[in-house]
Amino acid sequence: QAQLVESGGGVVQAGGSLRLSCVASGITFSNYALGWFRRAPGKQREFVAAISRSGGSVFYADSVKGRFTISKDNAKNTVYLQMDSLKPEDTAVYYCTADPNYSDYPAGGINYWGKGTLVTVSS
């Protein structure tokens, strides 16, 4: 059974950085596209970033483009989200996801979700 476990969330001041990690198990990691979503307090869930199975293609929500970087390490079954120049509006629970089809991002039905990790950016 697939399992995605996020870590790396916490409290950071505006302008700071955090790196989220997500370890996957129960799937053949290299056969899956991976992505991150987030849900801010009182708001709907939104797409953040995705990376293709090969890692050769990535794309980002406009709100994080130029500040966040998604990457993956197939040897460690891990996907990362490096978040720089954080803003208070980045405060949210961040969810790791996996899906066989890169084209399902950002709006398709995503197969697997982690339970999330909370990021709080103070002003």
Side-chain angles (χ1 to χ4, degrees):
Q1 186 170 348
Q3 187 174 17
L4 303 174
V5 180
E6 304 95 336
S7 62
V11 180
V12 62
Q13 286 191 331
S17 298
L18 279 176
R19 188 176 80 157
L20 304 184
S21 300
C22 172
V23 179
S25 60
I27 59 173
T28 302
F29 190 76
S30 58
N31 288 349
Y32 282 76
L34 304 154
W36 292 90
F37 288 76
R38 67 186 182 186
R39 187 191 298 271
K43 295 187 177 181
Q44 289 192 337
R45 186 178 64 204
E46 65 172 347
F47 168 77
V48 175
I51 186 167
S52 63
R53 288 181 288 180
S54 69
S57 180
V58 297
F59 74 105
Y60 301 92
D62 287 343
S63 58
V64 306
K65 201 173 295 182
R67 300 188 298 121
F68 289 12
T69 304
I70 188 171
S71 61
K72 59 185 277 191
D73 185 336
N74 284 346
K76 296 182 178 180
N77 280 15
T78 301
V79 59
Y80 304 98
L81 185 67
Q82 177 67 41
M83 305 185 295
D84 299 317
S85 302
L86 283 160
K87 304 175 182 180
E89 52 262 45
D90 295 317
T91 294
V93 177
Y94 284 73
Y95 299 92
C96 171
T97 64
D99 192 276
N101 300 312
Y102 184 53
S103 60
D104 283 346
Y105 291 95
I110 302 301
N111 278 21
Y112 301 115
W113 294 77
K115 293 184 178 181
T117 186
L118 177 62
V119 172
T120 302
V121 184
S122 62
S123 57

